Amino acid sequence: MTQDLSFWTLQTLNALQLSMLLFLLSIGLTVIFGLMHFVNLAHGALYALGAYIAASIAGVAGFWVAIIAAPVGVALVGVVLYGGLIQRMRKSGPMAQVLVTFGLIFALLDLTRIFWGDLALAMSMPQVLSGQVDLLGVSYPAYRLFIILLGGAIFVALALVLSRTQIGAMIRAGVDNDAMAACLGINVERLFFVVFCVGCALAGLAGAVAAPLLSVTPGMGLQILIPTLIVIVIGGLGSLKGAVAGSLIYGFVQTFGAVLAPQLASVLIYALLAAVLVIKPVGLFPAKG
Amino acid sequence: MKRATLATLAAATTLALPAAADTVDIGVLLPFSGVYAALGNEIEAGFALGLETYGNDLDVEIILHREDTEVTPATGLARTRKLILQSDVDAIVGVVSSGVLGAVRDMVDGAGVPLIVANAGNDAATGVDCSPWITRVSFSNSQVNRPMGRWMAEQGIETVYTLAPDYAAGRQMIEGFTGAFVEAGGTIVGSDYTPFQQTQDFGPYIAQAQASGADALFVFYAGGEAISFVNQYASFGAGDDLPLYGSGFLTSQLYVDAQGQSAEGVITALHYVPTIDNAENAAFVAAFRDATGRVPSEYAVQGYDAARALIEALETGARDRETLGAALRQVSFDGPRGALSIDPATNNVVQPIYVYETVQGANGMTQTVLAQLPAEADPVNGCQMPSLPTN
């Protein structure tokens, strides 16, 4: 059955779908990291928050409203976090940042539990995306296709913003050399703030998109953190190209590992991670040469 | 929801007459935080209701000592030690995770404190690691799946593909099913174990199972994974050529609302569903709904029956660790699950298993019981039960 063409098509689509979900999540984290030198481990918790907000709103106002409201809601939480915590922590070194944002994971996790309870929630997908689509000879869930397309669209949009717009140029300048960028009159502080909020919004979007596919549980933010960090380490810090390459590598290794070498599936990605760290310690496409 | 639970617990703590002649100290050892918090709260709600229902005429004051195990074996052991040495409890009720049960097993066995297991299904706890002090009123992993293997073979299903998370419970559930199914003439055409708590995306595995051409898919998933699995299975449209069967935790009352229509038509087997048709169950479901506002799950009934077992033991006049330990092994009653008894060879519960289909009801998803499979004791599995010291 592994020689069957439809097998390869189907599993490639599965791999792309997982990749795009991870891409949505890791791009926010990696750009914040690359630009601000800030290790925001609470990013996964923001993803969980996005899923909870989306699941709650979807029950009242439907899927499409939820998927727009969740990123906005999470970005607002990001604003509060930035003003209350992140801004103060920016200069305090990676160890303090890791500890504080790691603590933030548990604080947010318990807050979601107190607010939404311990039981897992679910969010139903819209009617139009609930069926299957015939594609290249296989019947594939429409919702998964939607995730692939959405991930692709976000990638193209971000690539255009970063390469073609003035704010993109400022962000690139800030990533490459923030001191020089500040000397050129770029308000690096305000840029950081905008990027941080966009990163949070993307985490919220990833949570909202994942909610109908996965169940919404308090622990989901913690579960997704390791894959996201692996994506970033493989891809290289701070770059869009790195995030998409890392996500694709993770998605394909995980998916094809699961079906072709199930006994190795859980260690395969770690082996790859180790190999990348040995050969290219900065990742495949780091933002800074 | 939580406040209601606490209120009933507070009521339970003081329900006995102030003039009660005796007191017993009972440790409630459950996860109230961490990934199993929902199960801990559900068991506690059932336990509180059981004490309220059966404890009224008792001339004993029951003092509860509540300890949170989280999901960590080390924490579970520390809390157990505290219950035994500091709170000086006469018996302990609880334990959700098999890992925690494994960690506290030697402690309760060595100290001679009766433990009523209200969830943890690890086969070994009433097999190789059995203890006269450990009585399980919940289930064992292979017990709930073995009869299903036979039943599915009887329905004319010849080939099955199995999936479960890769950890002890997942493997025991699938092995219990597989053993009986193969013995009854069936064939397992493929089997995968998914990385536990790492994989929530089951797409690759479902596609693989679909491609295997098996007559049916049999899976064990619980908690958030159960919701994800059923939803993803439905989104692949796999229902037509690969019907989904499983251990009943897959479509537990606790998750079936979140699964919604995706769960329709899924056939699973378990020791309890809220739609079991008997008077005890009707009373239990009504009382639980009054107390908490929701329909009880298998976890709630395990807590409820744990309370009932404790009270039946107290009614025999047992008051301390030794007498309670001996009395618990003799307990038998007709509960919401049907006729329950404790197998003296292993101290595991003997109970009927129900095969049920999840269907669309008037108020959300509900269960139709397709068959009641006879109660049978687990194989002894290497248990050498020492007799309790009598004095």
Side-chain angles (χ1 to χ4, degrees):
Chain A
M1 88 191 142
T2 46
Q3 286 78 25
D4 197 349
L5 184 65
S6 67
F7 162 84
W8 294 102
T9 316
L10 197 60
Q11 299 297 11
T12 301
L13 288 169
N14 276 330
L16 275 176
Q17 178 264 314
L18 180 60
S19 301
M20 285 305 129
L21 194 59
L22 282 171
F23 168 70
L24 287 181
L25 200 57
S26 53
I27 183 62
L29 187 56
T30 192
V31 170
I32 291 171
F33 200 125
L35 183 59
M36 304 168 66
H37 312 289
F38 189 87
V39 192
N40 182 21
L41 291 184
H43 202 72
L46 294 174
Y47 155 83
L49 197 63
Y52 271 101
I53 293 175
S56 306
I57 292 178
V60 190
F63 175 84
W64 298 108
V65 177
I67 209 165
I68 291 164
V72 174
V74 175
L76 289 177
V77 173
V79 170
V80 174
L81 279 182
Y82 190 87
L85 199 64
I86 309 292
Q87 206 169 18
R88 287 154 222 254
M89 298 294 302
R90 277 210 37 223
K91 303 282 181 233
S92 52
M95 186 50 93
Q97 293 170 355
V98 165
L99 285 175
V100 165
T101 52
F102 198 63
L104 206 54
I105 295 179
F106 294 102
L108 285 173
L109 196 152
D110 265 326
L111 281 176
T112 46
R113 262 191 37 213
I114 290 166
F115 202 76
W116 280 283
D118 291 311
L119 281 181
L121 299 182
M123 175 173 158
S124 46
M125 44 190 80
Q127 202 63 40
V128 59
L129 294 177
S130 63
Q132 292 91 40
V133 175
D134 282 319
L135 190 78
L136 306 170
V138 296
S139 151
Y140 198 70
Y143 191 77
R144 286 173 182 254
L145 220 49
F146 165 72
I147 295 181
I148 298 175
L149 295 177
L150 183 72
I154 298 276
F155 170 71
V156 170
L158 286 176
L160 285 178
V161 168
L162 282 176
S163 65
R164 297 287 161 85
T165 64
Q166 194 178 358
I167 192 161
M170 281 152 66
I171 291 173
R172 278 182 288 136
V175 171
D176 280 341
N177 190 334
D178 54 347
M180 183 56 85
C183 288
L184 290 172
I186 295 172
N187 187 342
V188 180
E189 278 299 322
R190 182 171 308 159
L191 198 61
F192 286 162
F193 174 69
V194 171
V195 169
F196 185 80
C197 291
V198 171
C200 292
L202 284 170
L205 179 66
V209 167
L213 192 68
L214 315 176
S215 58
V216 185
T217 57
M220 67 188 290
L222 214 49
Q223 271 177 20
I224 203 76
L225 190 62
I226 303 288
T228 314
L229 290 176
I230 292 177
V231 164
I232 292 177
V233 172
I234 290 180
L237 279 174
S239 76
L240 187 64
K241 220 201 284 181
V244 80
S247 306
L248 286 172
I249 290 172
Y250 189 100
F252 275 83
V253 167
Q254 195 72 357
T255 302
F256 282 98
V259 292
L260 296 178
Q263 298 83 356
L264 294 176
S266 51
V267 292
L268 219 50
I269 193 71
Y270 296 99
L272 187 76
L273 178 67
V276 169
L277 283 176
V278 168
I279 298 162
K280 272 195 101 174
V282 287
L284 298 177
F285 301 100
K288 297 175 191 185
Chain B
M1 173 181 94
K2 201 158 195 172
R3 192 167 299 149
T5 316
L6 286 177
T8 45
L9 187 73
T13 320
T14 53
L15 66 93
L17 300 169
D22 295 316
T23 60
V24 290
D25 290 85
I26 305 295
V28 178
L29 191 66
L30 289 169
F32 298 110
S33 59
V35 294
Y36 289 147
L39 307 194
N41 289 326
E42 185 82 354
I43 292 172
E44 189 187 39
F47 185 70
L49 181 64
L51 289 183
E52 209 172 294
T53 310
Y54 297 103
N56 278 326
D57 307 328
L58 209 59
D59 190 20
V60 186
E61 188 181 354
I62 298 173
I63 299 164
L64 298 179
H65 303 264
R66 192 172 183 269
E67 291 292 344
D68 182 0
T69 61
E70 300 162 16
V71 197
T72 331
T75 311
L77 181 58
R79 298 297 155 87
T80 308
R81 199 173 282 138
K82 183 181 169 203
L83 282 174
I84 293 175
L85 300 176
Q86 213 170 310
S87 311
D88 198 24
V89 296
D90 299 302
I92 298 174
V93 173
V95 187
V96 163
S97 141
S98 288
V100 172
L101 181 57
V104 308
R105 188 258 168 214
D106 286 351
M107 179 77 199
V108 297
D109 184 64
V113 178
L115 169 63
I116 306 174
V117 179
N119 189 62
N122 193 352
D123 286 343
T126 51
V128 143
D129 293 334
C130 70
S131 156
W133 299 101
I134 297 176
T135 309
R136 179 155 59 193
V137 297
S138 46
F139 63 92
S140 71
N141 291 334
S142 61
Q143 181 182 49
V144 292
N145 295 290
R146 206 180 307 114
M148 185 63 163
R150 224 168 291 137
W151 185 81
M152 278 174 66
E154 281 165 17
Q155 305 306 304
I157 296 166
E158 287 168 6
T159 54
V160 165
Y161 196 97
T162 68
L163 281 175
D166 192 4
Y167 73 117
R171 289 186 174 269
Q172 288 176 0
M173 301 251 178
I174 295 299
E175 279 159 18
F177 167 81
T178 301
F181 182 66
V182 169
E183 199 175 281
T187 313
I188 304 291
V189 294
S191 166
D192 269 327
Y193 290 102
T194 59
F196 181 48
Q197 290 187 340
Q198 283 182 43
T199 300
Q200 278 246 13
D201 185 6
F202 301 108
Y205 300 95
I206 293 171
Q208 194 77 337
Q210 261 183 307
S212 75
D215 291 345
L217 177 61
F218 181 89
V219 306
F220 160 74
Y221 284 100
E225 290 188 338
I227 300 173
S228 313
F229 188 88
V230 171
N231 282 338
Q232 291 175 28
Y233 166 85
S235 79
F236 269 91
D240 304 332
D241 49 347
L242 186 73
L244 179 58
Y245 293 79
S247 156
F249 301 101
L250 184 69
T251 49
S252 163
Q253 180 61 41
L254 220 44
Y255 322 122
V256 78
D257 285 335
Q259 291 165 340
Q261 294 195 339
S262 301
E264 198 169 356
V266 178
I267 296 176
T268 50
L270 203 61
H271 53 288
Y272 179 74
V273 273
T275 50
I276 292 172
D277 184 19
N278 68 44
E280 285 285 348
N281 188 41
F284 169 61
V285 171
F288 192 85
R289 209 199 283 260
D290 281 347
T292 64
R294 58 182 195 272
V295 178
S297 66
E298 63 275 14
Y299 304 105
V301 85
Q302 288 163 194
Y304 183 77
D305 284 345
R308 183 160 178 192
L310 176 68
I311 286 172
E312 299 240 331
L314 289 169
E315 275 171 354
T316 65
R319 291 294 181 269
D320 55 17
R321 291 174 179 177
E322 284 78 20
T323 49
L324 275 171
L328 280 170
R329 309 180 59 187
Q330 316 284 328
V331 162
S332 74
F333 51 82
D334 283 338
R337 291 184 259 179
L340 300 198
S341 61
I342 302 297
D343 176 13
T346 60
N347 273 11
N348 195 29
V349 64
V350 181
Q351 59 188 341
I353 298 296
Y354 299 88
V355 180
Y356 65 97
E357 181 175 359
T358 304
V359 294
Q360 180 79 55
N363 316 307
M365 306 307 289
T366 181
Q367 304 87 4
T368 305
V369 175
L370 301 179
Q372 175 181 347
L373 306 179
E376 52 180 284
D378 270 8
V380 177
N381 276 338
C383 169
Q384 288 174 320
M385 183 67 72
S387 53
L388 274 180
T390 45
N391 48 351

